[in-house]
Amino acid sequence: MSDLSQIVKAYDVRGTVPDQWDERAAEALGAAFTQLLNSTDEPGDAVVVGYDMRATSPGLAAAFAAGVRAEGRSVIEIGLASTDLLYYASGSLDLPGAMFTASHNPAQYNGIKMCRSGARPIGQESGLAEIRERAQALLDSGDARPAGAPTRPAERRDLLPDYAGYLRKLVDLSGIRPLKVVVDAGNGMGGFTVPTVLGDAALSPLPLEIVPLYFELDGSFPNHEANPLDPANLVDLQRAVVEHGADIGLAFDGDADRCFVVDERGEPVSPSAITALVAARELAKHPGSTVIHGLITSSAVAEIIREHGGKPVVARVGHSFIKAEMARTNAVFGGEHSAHYYFRDFWFADTGMLAAMHTLAALGEQSLPLSVLAGEYERYIASGEINSTVVDQAAAVAEVREAYPDAVADEMDGLTLRFPDGAWFNLRASNTEPLLRLNVEAPTRDRMVSLRDDVLDRVRR
């Protein structure tokens, strides 16, 4: 019997299949999700369900849909989808939704990202804990589906062309200079969405020459993990950009809601620089607006937002927190160090594709190479995220705090310490794994390396 406390995380469901959960658990989660919707008078009488390319995704999605239908709501099945395509469906149809994906996790994992109508997030504090409790009760009673419950219908819809057309209206790429773009889909859902959005599979051609890497949908990830946050998974893209003389490289994660960028030299462009670049573009269209940035983004992000007349607001790491803060402040845009990018024009939801299109537009609207353009938004030296497995995480964090008594502390999300010379670091526990995550930034490389190594030494001993 599944112990749902092991797989229901801070803002989604994630675990190995069938060891930690299976189709019976998925059906119970579908029923529990619908019970929550019904108890809170969620508008509409249907739920949108999509899934990624993992071998277990269609079966889990079908079982979840059975639970939804048994609890009195119909299902709109959109089939294969990126996570932001599911958010488009939820937003445009004004219906709650569920996306079956484990994002960048290895092949044996799967999960669910759930949202209310209008792509509004569901996390532990906004319904996910209640869904877990309801679903566990169903599993414990032996009835994932209520006996004799009426079964509502299911309807299949293809929303990929509508999604692509909507994104193209938000960012017009038709007039940019020709660009050669290498795209590494990592055998994930980018291989499904990129040909329609950036190619000419369904819409008018754009001045883009797409060089595809690993577009074949394969949830076993035969080439590399679909996790661009790990530098090892960018190597093929970096090599291809240089070999093809491309202007830019794009790497999507497994469910294609995150996008990483590589410049013409094959060098990664930090998500903080992309956040600042997109923020400047959105503020040009919406002067004076609020822009959300994650706690771990570069100090340059807030500086650039202010320089462009915007109002920077910091938020905790995690999409449910960012989305809630976006809605609260009516922010025009939000960005995180993990390459999640959120847009008011996209129901405050995250879409790697739209961030990629903004980057292509910024590059194609002028003649500078991407390395020079991105350099305008890079002001500090960052370590990137470094993970350490620690048995007693609280004790390790407390020891680190005591080691720097003169630093200014912030405990919004983990421990952030800021120093008078502009250096800072954040040390926080992972929401999904038994790890402490460290991010360090400083005005110089020597200062960053010194601070990084000192903190890691204290954490790991």
Side-chain angles (χ1 to χ4, degrees):
M1 182 178 296
S2 300
D3 178 4
L4 299 185
S5 66
Q6 299 300 307
I7 66 168
V8 179
K9 309 296 184 179
Y11 31 78
D12 63 11
V13 174
R14 197 81 60 92
T16 57
V17 181
D19 299 333
Q20 291 184 302
W21 69 302
D22 55 17
E23 292 181 8
R24 186 167 177 274
E27 186 170 349
L29 287 163
F33 177 52
T34 310
Q35 289 174 4
L36 174 71
L37 299 177
N38 293 340
S39 69
T40 55
D41 296 323
E42 185 73 19
D45 64 351
V47 172
V48 183
V49 177
Y51 55 83
D52 70 10
M53 67 292 145
R54 293 168 188 267
T56 58
S57 290
L60 291 170
F64 183 94
V68 171
R69 295 165 63 197
E71 288 293 336
R73 291 193 178 226
S74 59
V75 171
I76 296 176
E77 299 172 343
I78 62 172
L80 283 168
S82 61
T83 290
D84 63 333
L85 174 50
L86 185 280
Y87 291 149
Y88 168 78
S90 175
S92 62
L93 300 175
D94 197 27
L95 292 172
M99 174 66 190
F100 280 76
T101 180
S103 185
H104 61 280
N105 285 121
Q108 69 269 29
Y109 283 80
N110 216 320
I112 320 172
K113 295 180 179 179
M114 289 174 272
C115 61
R116 294 181 183 270
S117 57
R120 291 175 293 145
I122 292 180
Q124 281 283 6
E125 299 174 4
S126 54
L128 194 53
E130 183 178 345
I131 292 170
R132 183 195 70 231
E133 293 170 1
R134 289 175 180 268
Q136 191 69 62
L138 288 171
L139 288 172
D140 292 345
S141 70
D143 286 322
R145 183 186 305 182
T151 298
R152 296 293 304 278
E155 172 190 353
R156 186 65 179 263
R157 292 194 197 179
D158 177 12
L159 294 180
L160 178 60
D162 295 341
Y163 155 84
Y166 182 77
L167 293 182
R168 286 211 188 179
K169 289 178 182 177
L170 294 179
V171 179
D172 183 6
L173 295 173
S174 61
I176 65 172
R177 64 183 170 95
L179 297 174
K180 181 179 287 189
V181 185
V182 181
V183 179
D184 185 344
N187 299 109
M189 294 311 302
F192 179 73
T193 57
V194 167
T196 299
V197 180
L198 300 182
D200 57 1
L203 304 173
S204 59
L206 296 173
L208 303 174
E209 179 185 347
I210 303 296
V211 180
L213 283 183
Y214 314 137
F215 272 36
E216 303 79 14
L217 301 184
D218 189 338
S220 69
F221 306 113
N223 295 289
H224 60 70
E225 288 186 351
N227 179 17
L229 194 60
D230 183 344
N233 298 322
L234 290 177
V235 171
D236 290 353
L237 175 63
Q238 293 172 292
R239 183 185 303 115
V241 166
V242 174
E243 288 179 351
H244 288 274
D247 298 287
I248 185 174
L250 304 174
F252 291 92
D253 67 344
D255 60 335
D257 63 347
R258 290 189 296 159
C259 181
F260 286 73
V261 178
V262 169
D263 69 22
E264 80 287 352
R265 306 167 303 170
E267 294 296 323
V269 179
S270 79
S272 286
I274 299 300
T275 296
L277 181 154
V278 178
R281 287 178 55 84
E282 289 286 36
L283 287 168
K285 294 190 297 181
H286 307 283
S289 295
T290 296
V291 175
I292 306 297
H293 63 96
L295 181 70
I296 304 172
T297 53
S298 171
S299 297
V301 173
E303 295 172 3
I304 291 167
I305 291 169
R306 292 190 187 96
E307 290 165 9
H308 285 80
K311 303 171 186 176
V313 173
V314 67
R316 288 182 62 185
V317 173
H319 75 91
S320 63
F321 304 118
I322 297 276
K323 290 173 183 175
E325 195 66 11
M326 290 270 298
R328 186 187 70 81
T329 61
N330 196 35
V332 70
F333 173 66
E336 287 191 281
H337 77 293
S338 56
H340 281 286
Y341 304 105
Y342 308 80
F343 295 84
R344 184 169 67 196
D345 289 340
F346 201 74
W347 300 277
F348 300 116
D350 44 325
T351 163
M353 188 69 75
L354 189 53
M357 294 171 73
H358 271 285
T359 306
L360 291 171
L363 179 60
E365 289 168 0
Q366 46 82 65
S367 59
L368 295 173
L370 181 56
S371 59
V372 177
L373 176 64
E376 298 175 4
Y377 302 96
E378 300 267 20
R379 297 180 178 178
Y380 303 97
I381 306 299
S383 66
E385 192 157 85
I386 305 168
N387 294 323
S388 302
T389 301
V390 179
V391 175
D392 191 340
Q393 297 176 349
V397 172
E399 180 179 338
V400 169
R401 175 67 185 96
E402 293 174 3
Y404 306 99
D406 297 329
V408 177
D410 179 346
E411 297 184 10
M412 172 189 282
D413 189 359
L415 174 67
T416 302
L417 295 184
R418 298 187 180 275
F419 300 86
D421 64 353
W424 62 269
F425 70 82
N426 173 269
L427 186 65
R428 67 184 181 90
S430 167
N431 285 316
T432 57
E433 301 170 87
L435 302 171
L436 279 179
R437 303 192 190 280
L438 174 67
N439 285 268
V440 183
E441 183 177 83
T444 67
R445 178 164 296 279
D446 286 348
R447 172 66 165 131
M448 185 277 290
V449 170
S450 174
L451 183 57
R452 177 199 67 193
D453 292 351
D454 190 56
V455 176
L456 284 176
D457 180 61
R458 297 177 189 280
V459 166
R460 291 176 175 176
R461 75 187 180 198

